[in-house]
Amino acid sequence: MTPATENQKTIQTRCCVVGGGPAGMMLGFLLARSGVDVVVLEKHKDFLRDFRGDTIHPSTLELLVELGLLDEFLKLPHQELRSVQITADGQTVPVADFSHLPVHCQFIAFMPQWDFLSFLAEKGKQYPSFHLHLQTEATDIVQENGQITGVRAITQTGELIINADLVIGTDGRRSTIREKAGLAVQDFGVPIDVLWMRIPKDPAVGEQSLGYLKSGQFMVLIDRNDYFQCGFLIPKGQFESVKQRGLAALQADILSLAPFVGEYVKELDAWDKISLLTVKIDRLRQWFRPGLLCIGDAAHAMSPAGGVGVNLAVQDAVATANQLIPALQRGRVTVDTLARIQRRRQWPVRVIQAGQIFIHKRLINASVNDPSTIPPFILWLFRHIPAFRRLPARLIGMGPRPEHIRT
Ligand SMILES: Cc1cc2nc3c(=O)[nH]c(=O)nc-3n(C[C@H](O)[C@H](O)[C@H](O)COP(=O)(O)OP(=O)(O)OC[C@H]3O[C@@H](n4cnc5c(N)ncnc54)[C@H](O)[C@@H]3O)c2cc1C
């Protein structure tokens, strides 16, 4: 054990949630709402970051209905996507239709994730047992005789020790908590990376497809009213060769996929306007140890394919709250409870990750690395058989095992 220093503070809570992303904020809110004392640590000073999923899916919107928060939530600026189209070699193909889902909101809400997280933070703050510590970065776990008993963190004013009955790692794909806990990770390898950038939008441009596929290139354009958030796929590790080809070549590629972007593409005039996002898919073999559980990307890093990571993280949080709240009210949380949470969430995660691996290997990798191998029959099925669009809508919009608020 490291000896206490002058700038060290210690606090006590029932549950310490490390990471204020979708999993952590939803879990923190749900625990506090049930009267459980919870400390949420977030290393950044706010939620304003650009490299996050911005999709709130029908299953998450349904949870907001169950929580009585939907009307207030939908007052925040957002766009509603009722079907997904991709443009393949200039032809628009509908690939998902949400209008048949058995929920109140048959659409995906596009909303900057910082608005979603700030909304949850505001709701959490209404409860006295909710304690959000911003600019507080967990650096280690605290353990005694194999039981995790807390978290060590760095704040603006020194070190903070949080003693907790239970620590939940929701600190994302580069989780410090899972690393310090020594939880074994299974890496599935991904053949792509994403270039992430903003392109101003011509106000005259109307509704467009979400995905664009042509001549070995794949791009996603998320309409954020006055600009497009653009995700341009490249083969893994090839950013340097993209740079060597030059900005003009990248601009030309984007224009060839989505000509309506027009002159605005020239706003991409410096490489510091373009971020490289490394895509990965992995999963912990065991999500817990005595006194600790990982959920969300910390337990299973998701690729952007299908845009489902945020919603899976939220579903993990709901399933965790459903199991934990009664256990915390009874006393100490046992490993049996933690194992039950893993068992419940592992199956939907496996199904979605298998789907993402398939999309990478058979569709995206094929188009990015070898344009001649895109299976045209798949596009034909989507174009001509409307019922075919219901399966992706179900998988994307609801996920394999939608959770419900039980607390
Ligand atoms: C390029 C890209 C685009 C994506 N687009 C989408 C999309 O459109 N829709 C979708 O649903 N999913 C998308 N995803 C996936 C999605 O972003 C993740 O699956 C989701 O954010 C996981 O949520 P989380 O709460 O588990 O983790 P995160 O969102 O990663 O949140 C973790 C939080 O923990 C904080 N943190 C990290 N370390 C520490 C520490 N040591 N101490 C304190 N705080 C810490 C971080 O600052 C962060 O706020 C995308 C992923 C990528 C890579």
Side-chain angles (χ1 to χ4, degrees), residues 2 29 95 118-119 141 161 163 179 194 211 219 256 307 366 381 397:
T2 318
F29 162 66
V95 292
S118 302
F119 179 82
I141 51 174
I161 308 285
N163 291 323
E179 186 211 319
V194 178
M219 178 174 80
S256 132
L381 286 173

Side-chain angles (χ1 to χ4, degrees), residues 158-346:
E159 192 170 43
L160 179 68
I161 308 285
I162 305 101
N163 291 323
D165 295 341
L166 185 66
V167 172
I168 313 269
T170 54
D171 48 344
R173 55 188 43 224
R174 292 191 193 89
S175 169
T176 302
I177 294 300
R178 80 178 187 185
E179 186 211 319
K180 297 290 179 185
L183 294 170
V185 186
Q186 206 179 351
D187 197 325
F188 297 103
V190 170
I192 52 151
D193 284 328
V194 178
L195 300 184
W196 198 242
M197 53 219 149
R198 290 178 177 202
I199 305 174
K201 186 184 153 196
D202 181 343
V205 168
E207 200 180 319
Q208 299 294 333
S209 295
L210 190 63
Y212 296 83
L213 223 146
K214 187 181 176 189
S215 315
Q217 280 159 346
F218 190 96
M219 178 174 80
V220 171
L221 278 187
I222 302 171
D223 188 339
R224 282 194 182 156
N225 272 342
D226 50 345
Y227 67 94
F228 287 113
Q229 181 66 60
C230 173
F232 188 91
L233 268 57
I234 58 170
K236 196 155 218 49
Q238 294 299 306
F239 191 33
E240 276 315 307
S241 35
V242 173
K243 278 184 168 173
Q244 273 161 22
R245 281 182 67 223
L247 275 168
L250 179 63
Q251 291 171 2
D253 287 345
I254 291 172
L255 266 187
S256 132
L257 286 161
F260 55 86
V261 170
E263 286 295 293
Y264 291 94
V265 79
K266 297 208 172 118
E267 299 282 324
L268 293 173
D269 54 4
W271 287 108
D272 62 8
K273 293 186 178 174
I274 299 164
S275 306
L276 172 69
L277 301 186
T278 308
V279 179
K280 62 189 215 173
I281 300 183
D282 65 29
R283 192 164 66 232
L284 295 181
R285 290 182 195 278
Q286 184 174 303
W287 299 14
F288 59 89
R289 276 186 52 189
L292 177 138
L293 172 74
C294 287
I295 58 168
D297 268 22
H300 47 77
M302 306 302 294
S303 140
V308 290
V310 169
N311 297 277
L312 265 188
V314 168
Q315 301 285 320
D316 279 7
V318 173
T320 303
N322 287 343
Q323 297 280 343
L324 277 189
I325 289 163
L328 283 163
Q329 281 161 354
R330 278 196 304 270
R332 226 175 161 74
V333 178
T334 64
V335 285
D336 286 349
T337 308
L338 304 180
R340 237 188 341 267
I341 296 170
Q342 171 172 354
R343 274 200 302 278
R344 175 152 188 97
R345 294 306 304 157
Q346 191 164 256

Side-chain angles (χ1 to χ4, degrees), residues 35-91:
V36 174
D37 196 80
V38 55
V39 168
V40 182
L41 309 182
E42 169 52 51
K43 67 179 176 182
H44 291 101
K45 70 175 188 333
D46 52 35
F47 300 113
L48 276 173
R49 283 176 300 292
D50 219 358
F51 318 117
R52 291 176 170 273
D54 287 345
T55 50
I56 308 298
H57 289 214
S59 53
T60 302
L61 294 167
E62 195 65 11
L63 292 170
L64 295 177
V65 173
E66 293 172 11
L67 289 164
L69 297 175
L70 183 77
D71 291 345
E72 199 181 332
F73 181 71
L74 290 182
K75 285 187 186 136
L76 297 172
H78 68 279
Q79 290 89 41
E80 294 176 7
L81 187 79
R82 290 172 189 275
S83 62
V84 176
Q85 299 179 343
I86 63 166
T87 300
D89 289 321
Q91 288 195 48

Side-chain angles (χ1 to χ4, degrees), residues 12 31 49 57 181 212 347 359 366 383 403:
Q12 179 77 36
L31 292 178
R49 283 176 300 292
H57 289 214
Y212 296 83
W347 175 74
I359 290 173
R383 196 177 291 128
E403 302 289 346

